[in-house]
Amino acid sequence: MPVHFLGLRDAATLDTAQFQLTGRIIDDLIDYSATGVIHGPAGVGKTFAVDAHLERLREDGEHRVITCSLAFPSKPTMRRVAAELFTALTGGAPPRSHSRFHLVSHLVGLLTGPRRLVCIDEAQRLNSDCIELLRHLHDHHDTRFALLYVGGDGCWEVLSREPMLRSRVFRRLPFKALPRAQVPELMRGYHPIYADADEQLLLDINDFYAHGTLRDWAAFTHTAAALCGQAGRTRLDEAVLANAYTLLGGGLDG
């Protein structure tokens, strides 16, 4: 499984509905060589879920799928997208003398044959030209690959402004924060320090600091677990909670 935020130890992967749907969507995209989008606010677990299911695919020897993941800086050029995709597919740098059009021609050849999944992270950074380049490659009659866009705030707004892309989206999953009512049960299975925690205590942590965001829960857990270890405790108590809140800024955003 992918590493949890800040290398948090002893944390379990939460098998939420969104985590399961991510796997289903990825499998559907591969089966139909289709386009999909997974998007949501920062820290809600979408990248972790995608990475976990990509790892599952890489380890499945019976139904092997070639995967590659890319992320670009803000407003990349079309040539940069083409060049980095070339490198991801081949493991080598593209010839410097080749224009973008030559690179696209090479990419068409590379994207035929074996089943592939190309995952574009932080997709909200792409501009219209880069989105159109990827769409062109995906729609080419010789290519055969699944295309997954993953992104944070503004991702769907950016992608959905492109009619040629929007009409081709086969699967879309908006990730959201954990439902408050599910937090106590999920957190008791997330880390040993919460195993016997009172329901109201876990709801208080969620309301005061984490707000259903998995990255915030990971940061709190990392801090609280370290404090428990330093104090020789295996479970949360009021002193640990108070010190954790202090180290994390006092929950000033709560």
Side-chain angles (χ1 to χ4, degrees):
M1 281 293 176
V3 176
H4 288 270
F5 182 60
L6 296 178
L8 176 63
R9 294 183 179 182
D10 302 321
T13 296
L14 297 181
D15 193 25
T16 63
Q18 293 181 138
F19 185 87
Q20 295 175 22
L21 277 170
T22 299
R24 169 63 187 271
I25 285 172
I26 286 174
D27 290 344
D28 286 350
L29 297 182
I30 292 167
D31 286 343
Y32 295 100
S33 296
T35 297
V37 181
I38 294 176
H39 61 97
V44 292
K46 57 190 179 296
T47 299
F48 183 93
V50 169
D51 288 347
H53 287 291
L54 293 183
E55 187 173 299
R56 168 179 61 85
L57 290 173
R58 288 191 289 268
E59 293 175 351
D60 185 352
E62 184 178 353
H63 303 97
R64 188 167 182 270
V65 176
I66 300 172
T67 67
C68 70
S69 299
L70 301 94
F72 302 101
S74 181
K75 298 180 181 179
T77 63
M78 295 172 74
R79 193 185 192 288
R80 177 160 189 170
V81 170
E84 293 199 18
L85 181 55
F86 181 96
T87 297
L89 294 172
T90 66
R96 291 187 178 182
S97 60
H98 283 195
S99 70
R100 166 169 52 88
F101 301 102
H102 281 100
L103 281 176
V104 170
S105 178
H106 280 299
L107 288 171
V108 168
L110 291 168
L111 291 167
T112 61
R115 295 195 304 166
R116 297 179 185 271
L117 171 65
V118 175
C119 178
I120 307 296
D121 201 4
E122 302 296 348
Q124 70 275 6
R125 297 174 179 171
L126 299 177
N127 59 30
S128 295
D129 288 340
C130 296
I131 293 170
E132 175 58 23
L133 170 63
L134 293 167
R135 186 205 62 78
H136 167 75
L137 288 170
H138 186 262
D139 283 0
H140 196 284
H141 56 79
D142 288 335
T143 62
R144 179 174 176 263
F145 69 100
L147 179 58
L148 174 62
Y149 295 96
V150 182
D153 291 322
C155 176
W156 180 241
E157 289 76 10
V158 168
L159 298 179
S160 64
R161 285 200 294 264
E162 308 298 327
M164 294 288 283
L165 171 62
R166 181 168 185 161
S167 65
R168 288 163 170 76
V169 173
F170 182 57
R171 293 285 186 266
R172 179 168 79 93
L173 175 61
F175 254 71
K176 299 178 181 179
L178 297 175
R180 184 178 185 274
Q182 297 178 18
V183 164
E185 180 180 357
L186 288 170
M187 288 305 113
R188 289 192 188 105
Y190 178 59
H191 196 276
I193 65 170
Y194 303 130
D196 302 320
D198 177 74
E199 178 173 326
Q200 190 57 52
L201 181 147
L202 294 171
L203 289 173
D204 288 346
I205 297 171
N206 189 68
D207 294 343
F208 190 61
Y209 181 77
H211 309 295
T213 302
L214 284 170
R215 189 176 297 159
D216 288 340
W217 268 107
F220 183 90
T221 306
H222 203 296
T223 303
L227 290 168
C228 284
Q230 292 162 13
R233 298 177 174 87
T234 58
R235 297 289 186 269
L236 295 176
D237 60 23
E238 292 301 324
V240 168
L241 285 174
N243 289 332
Y245 286 138
T246 299
L247 289 171
L248 291 164
L252 296 177
D253 294 331

